[in-house]
Every structure is written in C-alpha cells, then in structure tokens.
C-alpha cells in the first residue's frame, strides 16, 4: 500500500486481487445482496485510491481496509434507511421459503440455518461476527477497526454468538 | 477470581447451566483476558461454523469496474487537473513554496529599492538597516556562490555596517571557497579599513590566502590604503616557493609603495 501511496497505482491491482473476495464476503454477510456487494467493494477501493495519502503504514493494510469497508457499509445504510425497511421485509419473505435458500447457494441444512440466523441478528452483531471471520479472529485488529479494546471486542463477539445461538435454536424449532 | 472458581464457571456455562449473573461474570472475565472464547464450547463451535460459512464470489463485473477506475485514475494522475491542483494534499506544498518565494521576493525588492530619503523616520531607517543586515547574514550562509555574492554586495548599501557584518565579511574572506566571493568581500571591507580591528584582520588574512588573485588584491589594497603593518605578511608570500612569479612581482610592487 505504501507503494500505491507513493504513486505506483499498479500495486493497487495486487491488493484488489488479494482482498476482493474477503471484502465481498464481509459485505455479503452484512447485506446478502451480491450486486450491492460489488458496488460496496468498488466503493471501498475507490476510497482507498482517493485517500491513499492518509495511509500511514503504521498498521496492517487489511485493518485499514476493513475500517474503510465499515464506513462504506454504514454510509450506504444511512443513505438508504428508507429502503432498508422494505428490503428487510423482503428478506423476511425470502427467509420463509427454505427452498429458495437451498437452491441459492446449495449449502447444507445446518449452514443454511446459520445463514438465516445471521440475517436475523442486529447489524452491529452481524458486523462483529463478519469482522471476526474475515480478520481471522484477530481481536486486537478488530478493536482498531471499531475503536475499542481487545477485551471489549471479545465481549462483543461473545454476545453476538450468544444471540446467534439463541436465534439458531429458535429457527431449529420451526423446521 | 480463583482459577478453581473460573473453571467451575466455564463448566457450568458449557453444561448450559450458567445463570444470567454468571454469564455477566464470564463477560467480565473475557474482557479482562482471564478466560478465552475458545474455552466456551458452544461459542467456540459456533464461531468456527461462522468462519467456515461460504459466500458467493464476486463476478467479473467487479474486476472490469475496478480496472476501469484504476485506468482512469492513472490517466488523471498523468494529466493536469484544476481539481487535483486545488486538492489540499497537493495544494499545501505549492502554497508553502509560493509563500516563501513571495516573501523572499518582497524582501529582496525592498532591499534593492533606492535608499530611504534623509528625512525618513530614523526608527524606520534603523529597522531597514537591521533587515538588510539579517538578509545579508542569511544569504552568506547559502550554498550558491551567486547568493553569497549578492550578500556581500548588500553591504555597499549599508551606511554603517555593524561589527557583526564586518565580522561576517572577514569570515567570508578567510573561509569562503569561492575566489570571486572572497574578492567581493575585500571590496566590501574597504570602507572599514579605518577600524583597527578590521585592518589587523585583513593583514592576518594575507597569510591565509591560497589564491594568487586574492593575495594580489589584498596587497594592492594594503598599498592603496598605506597599511604599513602588512609588509611582513606580504614579504612572507614573496618568499614562499609556492607563489607564482607574476604574483611575486605584483606583491613586490605593493611592498615598494608601502616602504
């Protein structure tokens, strides 16, 4: 990234190739809308390019990138608050038909249920779990992204997983 | 909390027996780093499941859009744009350079203008003299010989140079690597030869000079100003084997005048 900052823009291509999938996955975990995810990933790289001079090189690039990704996600949902309610309603409908989901990604039943449970979590809890997944459980780095201590991140992850467990069990009863 | 009690608490949690209060305790212990998430069986398993969740991959559209954006940025970077020119990170160094250049320009312009009329406020004249002195001293520090020459010539505009200025000129005469600057310093010091200290330093400087041009210029100045105390130093140069014959002749002529 330091090379990109110094003007070697071709190096951003390497970073894009390395991180487009985890970034897409992060947004997919948050939105479940593949088309929108591509827009959001593009937006993250646009910001990286535009604000490359702000990268100090003190920390990990991935941490800086997810910090931007988080802001992009928040900005998107702030701008589209009115649409969010509608899309959530659509999700609820979609969640009702298991067949749709089964054919969508051909996941096994357990994973499908987990995916449904994830969607029912509040945004902040879904976000912390996605960060934990894509930051490989590096809680210190996650703390840098969301602005809290490592210990506080662990508690947040614990609470999110606790709730996920409850939602999961609730969904299990209805199957 | 004791290890034993922590272990018991974890066991209760893993056996689905933990109460709300105990879960709160677990949170406190997690935050303090006394226990790890991996020790909580269900949580660890669920976190592993989340980590293994598979998501679809982005399509080729994303690649196309990204590389288009990159190509555009490269094009913009290689061409001038007013927007880029005025964006703060680009503009800040330009503004700083422009400000410094403007200040130097104003300073030099101010110093180059004809001297203030006699009836000008003496306080203002004093300030101008101080400013000239300051600029002259800072120009003398410059790497460029042209700048140092400019500094030396600035003293010609000073009605009365301070000891700081004559000291700086003598320093230049003795140590400046450029012969032209040293010659200019000799010229600039001429009006101050009446000052005993300056005269003595000029005489001492003769022996320090390795340039024949500077040696001749100093000898001629000594002769013109009848500084008899310089004869000894001049004779040393004449006796030196390293002094070229022409220079010896010129210096001898100066010595003859002085004697």
């Amino acid at each position: 990234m330091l090379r990109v900052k110094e003007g070697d823009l071709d190096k951003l291509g390497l970073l894009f190739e390395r991180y487009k999938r985890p970034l897409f996955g992060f947004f997919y975990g948050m939105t479940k809308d593949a088309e929108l995810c591509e827009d959001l990933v593009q937006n993250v790289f646009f910001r990286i390019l535009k604000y490359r001079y702000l990268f100090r090189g003190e920390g990990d690039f991935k941490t800086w990138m997810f910090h931007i990704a988080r802001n992009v996600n928040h900005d998107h949902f702030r701008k589209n608050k009115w649409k969010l309610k509608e899309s959530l309603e659509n999700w609820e409908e979609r969640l009702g038909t298991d067949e749709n989901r089964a054919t969508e990604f051909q996941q096994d039943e357990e994973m499908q249920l987990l995916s449904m449970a994830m969607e029912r979590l509040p945004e902040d809890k879904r976000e912390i779990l996605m960060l934990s997944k894509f930051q490989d459980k590096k809680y210190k780095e996650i703390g840098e992204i969301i602005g809290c201590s490592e210990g506080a991140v662990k508690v947040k992850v614990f609470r999110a997983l606790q709730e996920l467990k409850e939602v999961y069990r609730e969904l299990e009863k209805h199957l | 909390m004791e290890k034993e009690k922590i272990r018991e608490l974890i066991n209760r949690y893993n056996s689905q027996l933990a109460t709300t209060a105990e879960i709160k305790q677990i949170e406190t212990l997690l935050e303090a780093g006394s226990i790890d998430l991996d020790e909580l069986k269900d949580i660890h398993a669920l976190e592993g499941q989340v980590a293994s969740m598979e998501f679809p991959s982005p399509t080729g559209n994303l690649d196309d859009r990204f590389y288009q954006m990159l190509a555009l940025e490269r094009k913009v970077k290689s061409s001038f744009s007013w927007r880029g020119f005025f964006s703060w990170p680009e503009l800040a160094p330009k503004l700083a350079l422009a400000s410094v250049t403007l200040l130097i320009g104003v300073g030099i312009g101010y110093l180059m203008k004809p001297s203030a009329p006699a009836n000008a406020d003496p306080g203002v004249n004093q300030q101008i003299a101080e400013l000239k002195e300051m600029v002259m001293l800072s120009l003398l520090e410059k790497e460029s010989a042209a700048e140092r020459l400019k500094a030396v010539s600035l003293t010609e505009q000073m009605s009365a140079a301070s000891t700081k200025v004559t000291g700086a000129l003598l320093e230049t005469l003795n140590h400046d690597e450029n012969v032209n600057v040293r010659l200019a310093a000799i010229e600039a010091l001429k009006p101050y030869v009446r000052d005993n200290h300056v005269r003595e330093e000029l005489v001492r400087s003769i022996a320090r000079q390795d340039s024949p041009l500077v040696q001749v210029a100093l000898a001629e100045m000594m002769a013109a100003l009848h500084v008899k105390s310089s004869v000894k130093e001049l004779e040393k140069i004449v006796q030196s084997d390293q002094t070229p014959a022409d220079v010896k002749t010129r210096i001898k002529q100066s010595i003859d005048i002085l004697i």
Side-chain angles (χ1 to χ4, degrees), chain A residues 7 10 17 20-21 24-25 38-39 42 107 110-111 132-133 137 139 155 159 161-162 165 169, chain B residues 13 27 37 42 46-47 49-57 59 62-63 65-67 74 77:
Chain A
D10 291 343
E17 292 301 336
K20 67 180 178 187
R21 278 172 211 279
F24 182 88
E38 292 196 351
D39 287 346
Q42 170 81 0
Q107 292 171 329
E110 209 175 64
M111 278 297 171
S132 172
K133 174 179 166 72
K137 298 202 274 180
Y139 303 122
V155 173
R159 284 179 185 163
L161 289 168
Q162 272 281 108
K165 190 170 77 175
R169 281 182 183 162
Chain B
Y13 180 85
E27 286 184 2
L37 280 168
D42 278 4
L46 200 54
E47 199 177 19
Q49 273 182 295
V50 171
S52 63
M53 275 176 90
E54 280 181 18
F55 292 143
S57 297
T59 64
L62 179 63
D63 290 7
R65 284 165 62 195
F66 169 77
Y67 285 107
R74 245 192 249 126
K77 196 173 165 262

Side-chain angles (χ1 to χ4, degrees), chain B:
Chain B
M1 193 186 270
E2 288 170 29
K3 278 186 181 173
E4 198 66 19
K5 281 187 177 174
I6 294 175
R7 184 71 19 225
E8 200 180 312
L9 192 64
I10 293 170
N11 286 340
R12 280 183 64 76
Y13 180 85
N14 287 338
S15 313
Q16 322 283 335
L17 295 170
T19 62
T20 314
E22 283 170 332
I23 288 175
K24 203 89 197 138
Q25 272 186 317
I26 287 176
E27 286 184 2
T28 312
L29 292 167
L30 273 171
E31 188 161 17
S34 306
I35 59 172
D36 208 68
L37 280 168
D38 293 353
E39 293 176 78
L40 309 169
K41 230 166 51 186
D42 278 4
I43 292 295
H44 178 57
L46 200 54
E47 199 177 19
Q49 273 182 295
V50 171
S52 63
M53 275 176 90
E54 280 181 18
F55 292 143
S57 297
T59 64
N61 281 344
L62 179 63
D63 290 7
D64 294 346
R65 284 165 62 195
F66 169 77
Y67 285 107
Q68 254 175 23
M69 175 183 79
L70 199 60
L72 196 73
E73 181 67 20
R74 245 192 249 126
K75 206 171 153 187
V76 169
K77 196 173 165 262
S78 59
S79 64
F80 177 81
S81 90
W82 284 107
R83 200 174 164 191
F85 185 84
F86 285 110
S87 74
W88 184 243
E90 299 281 328
L91 188 61
K94 289 174 192 164
L95 262 183
L97 184 68
S99 312
V100 170
T101 313
L102 183 69
L103 277 176
I104 291 175
V106 168
I108 290 176
Y110 195 66
L111 297 172
M112 293 299 179
K113 74 170 190 178
S115 46
N119 59 353
D121 181 356
V124 173
N125 285 342
Q126 174 69 21
Q127 281 179 0
I128 292 170
E130 281 171 9
L131 186 65
K132 280 183 183 174
E133 195 175 301
M134 197 183 73
V135 172
M136 179 255 175
L137 292 172
S138 69
L139 280 175
L140 270 181
E141 302 287 321
K142 298 274 178 194
E143 267 187 47
S144 150
E147 297 282 337
R148 298 200 302 275
L149 269 175
K150 203 183 282 173
V152 173
S153 63
L154 267 179
T155 56
E156 290 166 13
Q157 294 169 19
M158 296 178 185
S159 48
S162 67
T163 48
K164 215 192 257 178
V165 171
T166 52
L169 286 171
L170 287 165
E171 184 74 13
T172 303
L173 173 63
N174 289 332
H175 298 110
D176 200 291
E177 61 194 20
N178 187 288
V179 173
N180 291 328
V181 177
R182 277 185 270 160
L183 288 172
I186 294 172
E187 280 302 308
L189 280 165
K190 260 184 192 167
Y192 310 106
V193 175
R194 281 183 199 162
D195 180 332
N196 282 341
H197 172 71
V198 173
R199 201 167 50 243
E200 282 164 19
E201 286 301 315
L202 278 169
V203 172
R204 272 193 212 116
S205 179
I206 296 170
R208 289 180 183 160
Q209 300 301 331
D210 51 5
S211 156
L213 278 174
V214 180
Q215 288 171 338
V216 170
L218 273 172
E220 285 176 353
M221 186 168 102
M222 295 295 131
L225 300 169
H226 299 284
V227 186
K228 294 195 173 176
S229 56
S230 64
V231 174
K232 237 183 208 170
E233 294 296 327
L234 293 172
E235 278 175 343
K236 278 185 198 166
I237 297 175
V238 174
Q239 283 156 15
S240 167
D241 297 336
Q242 290 179 348
T243 312
D246 290 347
V247 177
K248 280 185 182 175
T249 315
R250 298 276 295 271
I251 292 178
K252 270 182 195 163
Q253 285 168 358
S254 298
I255 293 174
D256 289 343
I257 295 168
L258 285 169
I259 294 171

Side-chain angles (χ1 to χ4, degrees), chain A:
Chain A
M1 184 60 208
L2 287 171
R3 299 280 294 274
V4 176
K5 189 182 172 183
E6 285 160 11
D8 188 356
L9 297 185
D10 291 343
K11 291 285 181 289
L12 190 66
L14 292 178
L15 292 171
F16 172 76
E17 292 301 336
R18 191 179 300 161
Y19 294 114
K20 67 180 178 187
R21 278 172 211 279
L23 211 47
F24 182 88
F26 169 74
F27 286 126
Y28 194 84
M30 296 301 294
T31 67
K32 287 285 182 290
D33 180 341
E35 209 177 313
L36 172 66
C37 289
E38 292 196 351
D39 287 346
L40 297 178
V41 173
Q42 170 81 0
N43 201 339
V44 170
F45 277 96
F46 173 74
R47 290 194 191 184
I48 288 173
L49 197 58
K50 191 174 173 189
Y51 300 112
R52 57 186 181 269
Y53 65 90
L54 290 176
F55 181 70
R56 292 183 183 172
E58 288 161 358
D60 184 22
F61 167 74
K62 200 175 168 190
T63 305
W64 187 62
M65 181 189 75
F66 270 111
H67 186 83
I68 294 173
R70 199 172 168 250
N71 288 340
V72 165
N73 191 48
H74 288 183
D75 289 352
H76 171 76
F77 283 105
R78 208 171 28 235
K79 272 186 209 161
N80 299 283
K81 229 175 186 176
W82 63 277
K83 287 183 192 166
L84 184 64
K85 201 184 164 199
E86 189 196 354
S87 61
L88 276 175
E89 280 163 6
N90 289 342
W91 285 357
E92 292 290 328
E93 282 171 26
R94 282 161 59 205
L95 288 173
T97 55
D98 294 338
E99 283 165 10
N100 281 351
R101 304 202 60 75
T103 50
E104 201 177 350
F105 305 123
Q106 298 175 340
Q107 292 171 329
D108 61 26
E109 198 178 294
E110 209 175 64
M111 278 297 171
Q112 197 184 319
L113 208 59
L114 185 66
S115 175
M116 286 165 72
M118 282 285 287
E119 284 178 39
R120 293 187 176 195
L121 283 185
E123 197 192 324
D124 60 330
K125 290 193 167 124
R126 211 161 55 237
E127 184 187 67
I128 197 83
L129 293 182
M130 284 300 105
L131 285 172
S132 172
K133 174 179 166 72
F134 290 106
Q135 279 282 355
D136 306 316
K137 298 202 274 180
K138 289 175 183 160
Y139 303 122
K140 193 169 170 254
E141 278 86 342
I142 297 169
E144 282 168 27
I145 296 169
I146 64 174
C148 67
S149 69
E150 189 179 353
V153 172
K154 284 182 185 173
V155 173
K156 280 177 195 286
V157 170
F158 174 72
R159 284 179 185 163
L161 289 168
Q162 272 281 108
E163 192 167 337
L164 183 68
K165 190 170 77 175
E166 282 158 24
V167 176
Y168 185 94
R169 281 182 183 162
E170 198 61 37
L171 284 169
E172 235 176 359
K173 282 182 200 165
H174 292 94
L175 282 179

